[in-house]
Amino acid sequence: MLKTRVFTVALLLPLFLAALFYLPTAGWVALNLVVMTAAASEWACLARLHKPAAWFFVAAVLLLLLVMVPLLDLLDERPTSSRINLSMYALALAFWVAAAPFWLRSKWQAGKLGLSLVGALVLISTWLALVQLREIDKLLILWIFSVVWVADIAAYFCGKKFGQRQLAPNISPGKTWEGVGGAVLAVTAYALALVASTSNHGVGLLGNPLPAYAVLLVHWVLTALSIVGDLFESLLKRQAGVKDSGTMLPGHGGMLDRIDGLTSTLPVAAFFIFVMLR
């Protein structure tokens, strides 16, 4: 399993980096439309939607994404802030910070309509953040991805090596508090390395230098959000009675299995970044 996971990452990572840095804006938008269409198809399965309801959900999500392209001038290669995108990011923030933790704690099992509405919010806000944050700075996208990746990898290996106390046994038995501790330590080291690599011991964000304590805080918040996103998808899979959201990515499962930590971090980061830009 581990060899398959590593092989898939080794294949996809160069393709992702090439797309991030070299694809024109229209190409990046189109690529992420494909990613979100695949994720929407998997979400429909987790919501236990049957045909044609599943097709309708996927088509509705895709249509809403396409409508946003001209509505928010997403092909103009400049960050556009409006009530529409800020409202979308604010709703995502409210969901991931307030609703999702309560959902996880109560192990609430929503109906098909409720899960469909949540899925639309989660996928559309993630796609919008992927597109708009790249318009601001490609390195911004890479940084958020890298924090989630560092946390995920550290949690996986520390959990395997030292894991004894289960984090959420009724949701995802394989996740442990030791894994969480490893993730926090790893992202802390990553944040300190970023700070140490700058001459003024502060990391720049949108032209404003962030002091070391702020950099650490941001990394911890992103790590916490990524864990919530991971657990939320795990709960949906358990309630749907499946191990993985799909089989698209060997060793990883489906598209949602690969981006679960990003669905909770990207829109929240985008909200605060666009508030700073206003």
Side-chain angles (χ1 to χ4, degrees):
M1 175 64 77
L2 180 58
K3 289 182 179 179
T4 306
R5 288 172 67 95
V6 172
F7 176 78
T8 301
V9 170
L11 179 65
L12 293 181
L13 182 58
L15 296 177
F16 164 75
L17 293 175
L20 176 64
F21 288 104
Y22 298 111
L23 268 184
T25 300
W28 178 254
V29 169
L31 174 63
N32 283 286
L33 281 173
V34 173
V35 170
M36 289 304 152
T37 300
S41 178
E42 294 175 1
W43 192 286
C45 293
L46 296 184
R48 301 177 296 282
L49 297 179
H50 300 294
K51 300 173 184 178
W55 292 342
F56 178 80
F57 172 75
V58 175
V61 169
L62 180 59
L63 179 61
L64 288 171
L65 295 179
L66 289 172
V67 167
M68 285 192 175
V69 174
L71 194 62
L72 294 175
D73 297 323
L74 296 179
L75 299 182
D76 284 354
E77 299 186 10
R78 68 176 187 274
T80 301
S81 180
S82 70
R83 291 182 179 178
I84 297 174
N85 70 329
L86 279 177
S87 296
M88 184 65 67
Y89 295 141
L91 285 172
L93 169 67
F95 175 76
W96 288 115
V97 173
F102 172 78
W103 196 321
L104 290 169
R105 184 177 181 84
S106 63
K107 300 176 186 64
W108 184 44
Q109 189 157 353
K112 295 178 181 180
L113 177 59
L115 280 179
S116 298
L117 293 174
V118 169
L121 171 64
V122 168
L123 297 177
I124 293 172
S125 61
T126 300
W127 175 82
L128 191 58
L130 278 167
V131 173
Q132 290 200 305
L133 293 181
R134 184 180 186 258
E135 293 173 353
I136 297 173
D137 191 342
K138 297 179 179 65
L139 289 176
L140 187 58
I141 287 281
L142 184 59
W143 166 64
I144 296 173
F145 270 65
S146 64
V147 173
V148 174
W149 289 339
V150 168
D152 188 44
I153 293 170
Y156 177 81
F157 283 106
C158 288
K160 287 284 188 182
K161 180 69 174 179
F162 306 108
Q164 293 183 352
R165 296 172 297 164
Q166 292 177 312
L167 175 64
N170 295 324
I171 297 176
S172 183
K175 294 180 176 61
T176 64
W177 282 106
E178 288 78 11
V180 172
V184 173
L185 287 175
V187 296
T188 299
Y190 182 45
L192 293 176
L194 288 178
V195 171
S197 66
T198 61
S199 58
N200 60 354
H201 298 293
V203 176
L205 179 63
L206 306 179
N208 301 313
L210 293 179
Y213 73 88
V215 175
L216 279 171
L217 181 61
V218 170
H219 280 69
W220 291 337
V221 169
L222 289 176
T223 300
L225 285 169
S226 71
I227 292 172
V228 171
D230 193 339
L231 284 175
F232 185 74
E233 197 229 354
S234 294
L235 176 62
L236 296 187
K237 288 189 293 185
R238 178 163 287 267
Q239 291 176 344
V242 297
K243 182 179 182 295
D244 297 315
S245 65
T247 57
M248 179 178 293
L249 303 175
H252 295 267
M255 185 63 68
L256 282 174
D257 293 317
R258 189 60 273 158
I259 67 171
D260 51 8
L262 297 169
T263 59
S264 53
T265 51
L266 284 168
V268 174
F271 173 78
F272 288 104
I273 288 168
F274 274 95
V275 167
M276 291 173 62
L277 286 173
R278 287 177 70 88

